[in-house]
Amino acid sequence: AGTEGDPVDLAEKRTNNFWNKKIILTSTPTEKGLSRIEKAFTQSTMEEWCVLCPYCGKYTPYIWENLDFEDMMMACDHCGEKLTENEWKERPGTFVVGNPDVTDTRGFHLNEMASPWRSWKDIVADYRAAVKDMKAGSDEKMRTWVNTSKGEPYEVKGFTVETDEMLARREHYQADLPAGVLVLTAAVDVQDDRFEVEVCGWGKNYESWGIVYDKLFGNLERDEIWNELEE
């Protein structure tokens, strides 16, 4: 698209002259809240591929959380009865509307559990490999697995701490250098008329102590203030 604008909007503009146009957006989702296909899907009929349960007579989607890793059988989301992979894949299937308020845009979703080319055993193996990498500190495999196997946007989960909890962990110390300080670093924030200097002490596991914080005012184009900073 270059500098012309949004590529999807440009593609849709190209269809304006055709009375019988049909616009199809197809993709695996990316990151939750940022995924374009996720946003488009929520504005559609949101139809999910489902298979007919022989026990309760209702159509159930392929739900990853309903899969038992031990016997590789999936439970019906309505009655809880379990069938094997082959038994479910041999059942009649249809897309079930999840957003009946929308009628002008149809949207379809299915995950890899419905694939005739991939076994549930292989999908579980990929999942376990992704979990192993997650425990080692990398979420790349899990991101790929969620996007391509579950067909869902990946949600990045951050770590948050309550403000009161952080304040409660503050410590009062009298010594210039508390026990545990191994390294000192100085950081300088350069402003138009001053330096703001902070010296921090660092210990094991990145524990830190505030040692000195000071503001040095002066003309930064003259040597005096730089000499003061050096001292």
Side-chain angles (χ1 to χ4, degrees), residues 5 10 12 26 38 50 70 75-76 81 83 95 100-103 113 117-118 129 135 140 149 152 178 180 188 223-224:
L10 288 172
E12 291 181 355
T26 175
E38 177 195 19
C50 298
E70 298 300 323
C76 171
E81 293 290 342
L83 277 76
F95 279 102
D101 294 333
V102 177
T103 57
M113 290 180 67
W117 302 287
R118 288 279 286 169
K135 292 179 179 178
E140 292 299 316
S149 292
E152 296 177 358
V188 182
D223 292 337
E224 288 83 354

Side-chain angles (χ1 to χ4, degrees), residues 7-54:
V8 176
D9 291 342
L10 288 172
E12 291 181 355
K13 286 287 186 182
R14 299 294 190 271
T15 68
N16 285 346
N17 294 340
F18 299 90
W19 65 269
N20 60 345
K21 63 185 177 183
K22 180 178 290 186
I23 299 171
I24 300 175
L25 304 179
T26 175
S27 175
T28 51
T30 51
E31 190 170 312
K32 189 173 182 63
L34 301 177
S35 171
R36 179 146 199 170
I37 201 69
E38 177 195 19
K39 181 180 179 180
F41 182 67
T42 58
Q43 296 171 348
S44 72
T45 53
M46 299 180 66
E47 300 178 40
E48 186 76 26
W49 179 252
C50 298
V51 283
L52 185 64
C53 176

Side-chain angles (χ1 to χ4, degrees), residues 81-217:
E81 293 290 342
K82 298 198 302 184
L83 277 76
T84 67
E85 176 179 1
N86 288 338
E87 289 172 334
W88 277 123
K89 289 182 176 179
E90 290 173 355
R91 300 297 299 165
T94 187
F95 279 102
V96 176
V97 174
N99 189 10
D101 294 333
V102 177
T103 57
D104 59 344
T105 303
R106 298 191 69 182
F108 307 93
H109 174 264
L110 71 165
N111 61 48
E112 198 173 33
M113 290 180 67
S115 171
W117 302 287
R118 288 279 286 169
S119 70
W120 291 357
K121 183 179 179 180
D122 290 339
I123 299 172
V124 169
D126 289 346
Y127 171 74
R128 284 174 167 160
V131 170
K132 184 177 180 180
D133 275 18
M134 284 279 287
K135 292 179 179 178
S138 172
D139 70 342
E140 292 299 316
K141 281 188 178 180
M142 183 60 73
R143 183 186 296 265
T144 300
W145 184 86
V146 171
N147 286 167
T148 60
S149 292
K150 291 190 77 175
E152 296 177 358
Y154 182 73
E155 184 174 6
V156 179
K157 296 182 179 179
F159 178 76
T160 60
V161 178
E162 293 295 331
T163 304
D164 292 341
E165 181 181 342
M166 287 292 291
L167 292 174
R169 295 186 62 178
R170 292 181 301 174
E171 299 175 358
H172 294 281
Y173 45 89
Q174 301 300 324
D176 292 337
L177 294 181
V181 173
L182 302 176
V183 176
L184 292 174
T185 61
V188 182
D189 183 16
V190 181
Q191 299 292 329
D192 291 338
D193 61 346
R194 68 189 184 280
F195 294 125
E196 298 198 14
V197 186
E198 182 179 19
V199 177
C200 288
W202 299 90
K204 293 181 178 180
N205 301 317
Y206 297 100
E207 185 174 3
S208 64
W209 294 262
I211 305 301
V212 174
Y213 181 80
D214 200 1
K215 296 180 181 180
L216 307 178
F217 290 89

